[in-house]
Amino acid sequence: MTGAPPLECLIVGGGPAGLMAAIYLARFRRRVCVVDTGASRAALIPRSRNVPGFVHGLSGTELIERMSAQLDELAVTRVDAEVTDLQRHDRGFLASWNGGAHAAATVVLACGIVDTHPPFDEWRAAVADGLLRYCPICDAFEATGRRIGVIGPLARAAGKALFLRGYSRDVTLLATEPDDDRAATSRLAEAGVEVVRAPDLRLQRRGDGIEAVFADGRTAQFDMIYPAMGAEVRSQLAMALGAEHTVEGYLKVDDHQRTSIRGLYGIGDVVTDLHQISVSFGHAAIAACTIHNSVPARLA
């Protein structure tokens, strides 16, 4: 991008949120660039049935490919790289990747999150086969009536287990850490969710399902497992600039997706634990419209 005019917007992250923001901004005829490492969490989705218009659902990879094709039609610059540094600049921001520095008036962070995976050597293949699932809001409907395990610290996993109890009578919480939250334990018991203490649990595939192996050698069989072990929020670039954030690392934004740093926006999973494609689309549209109205007008 040497010699090119400064970007009006740099988008960090090429998942559904980042690509949607780029589509909007490109259609506003703004100079925009998407920088992405190709590790979108959405690419792991075997089939999403919450995207409007796709009756039988579509995979995360297909969604990204379709949106990428739209960007190709709009001639949007995309770079396969990691933004390693982001600094304030007199014209906005200076971002570093591939050994170079690039100026941008505004920056949209659509970096997402990285899930903490359970002890399971074959986790990636299990996700692809629908055995290991991370989003009950997305796919609990397809888990109706199945044998479901939820793994994680009791305090973190209780809510997910109770939600899933609305879809199946057979829900077990595999608690990796002890917890004396009597209220949560009582709610689980009242709902008929079995709680099993499992600090040294490991998972393995068994037939068409997943087998939980406990430290004492006991095993339990499940049709599917939902981890509830937390995630790393990829908000480090914003936090280094002093952006306000939650204890977990989610960026705090206003109703226009603006962070506490002027010109810096956050969209999608990096700002909310409601990890939904439709939510990220909404964030992207709001941020893109706000950015378009915040930079100098472009005349035909």
Side-chain angles (χ1 to χ4, degrees):
M1 297 179 64
T2 303
L7 295 167
E8 290 172 295
C9 184
L10 165 67
I11 298 173
V12 184
L19 296 179
M20 180 61 89
I23 289 169
Y24 265 71
L25 287 164
R27 290 177 59 79
F28 289 146
R29 302 179 63 234
R30 296 299 183 178
R31 292 186 301 276
V32 59
C33 173
V34 178
V35 179
D36 180 56
T37 60
S40 171
R41 181 176 184 261
L44 295 172
I45 300 172
R47 186 153 298 274
S48 174
R49 294 175 172 82
N50 283 352
V51 180
F54 292 90
V55 178
H56 303 293
L58 78 168
S59 69
T61 299
E62 183 182 356
L63 175 63
I64 291 173
E65 288 175 350
R66 286 172 175 266
M67 297 182 72
S68 296
Q70 285 183 263
L71 288 185
D72 290 342
E73 290 290 324
L74 293 165
V76 171
T77 299
R78 287 184 289 158
V79 180
D80 182 8
E82 179 183 4
V83 176
T84 55
D85 187 56
L86 185 63
Q87 299 181 15
R88 294 305 305 267
H89 185 271
D90 57 1
R91 288 172 292 180
F93 298 89
L94 205 61
S96 299
W97 69 81
N98 288 347
H102 310 265
T106 63
V107 173
V108 173
L109 295 183
C111 315
I113 63 173
V114 178
D115 293 294
T116 300
H117 303 294
F120 189 7
D121 293 338
E122 301 175 82
W123 72 265
R124 190 177 292 274
V127 170
D129 292 338
L131 302 179
L132 196 65
R133 303 181 174 196
Y134 286 82
C135 181
I137 293 176
C138 305
D139 55 29
F141 186 83
E142 283 69 43
T144 300
R146 310 297 293 277
R147 293 175 300 172
I148 301 172
V150 180
I151 179 173
L154 189 143
R156 185 185 296 276
K160 186 171 285 191
L162 289 168
F163 179 85
L164 286 161
R165 182 62 182 82
Y167 294 86
S168 174
R169 295 180 178 180
D170 193 345
V171 179
T172 301
L173 194 160
L174 305 168
T176 57
E177 295 179 11
D179 194 291
D180 59 359
D181 186 340
R182 295 183 179 179
T185 302
S186 177
R187 289 196 302 272
L188 290 164
E190 290 174 1
V193 175
E194 181 182 4
V195 177
V196 178
R197 306 297 175 180
D200 297 311
L201 179 74
R202 62 184 176 86
L203 303 175
Q204 62 187 23
R205 296 186 71 142
R206 177 69 66 184
D208 294 330
I210 293 183
E211 182 175 67
V213 182
F214 302 96
D216 60 5
R218 291 179 301 117
T219 62
Q221 309 298 319
F222 299 96
D223 293 320
M224 60 200 60
I225 294 282
Y226 281 87
M229 307 185 75
E232 175 195 355
V233 184
R234 291 170 167 164
S235 56
Q236 294 87 350
L237 291 172
M239 291 169 64
L241 290 173
E244 295 181 5
H245 58 276
T246 68
V247 173
E248 296 86 358
Y250 292 105
L251 296 179
K252 293 183 178 181
V253 295
D254 65 10
D255 56 2
H256 292 279
Q257 303 304 133
R258 296 176 291 206
T259 72
S260 58
I261 305 297
R262 183 178 178 84
L264 182 65
Y265 296 73
I267 61 176
D269 291 353
V270 78
V271 305
T272 177
D273 60 1
L274 184 58
H275 306 143
Q276 299 291 297
I277 292 171
S278 57
V279 171
S280 70
F281 283 173
H283 287 177
I286 291 169
C289 290
T290 303
I291 290 168
H292 175 65
N293 292 324
S294 72
V295 296
R298 166 164 289 206
L299 303 178

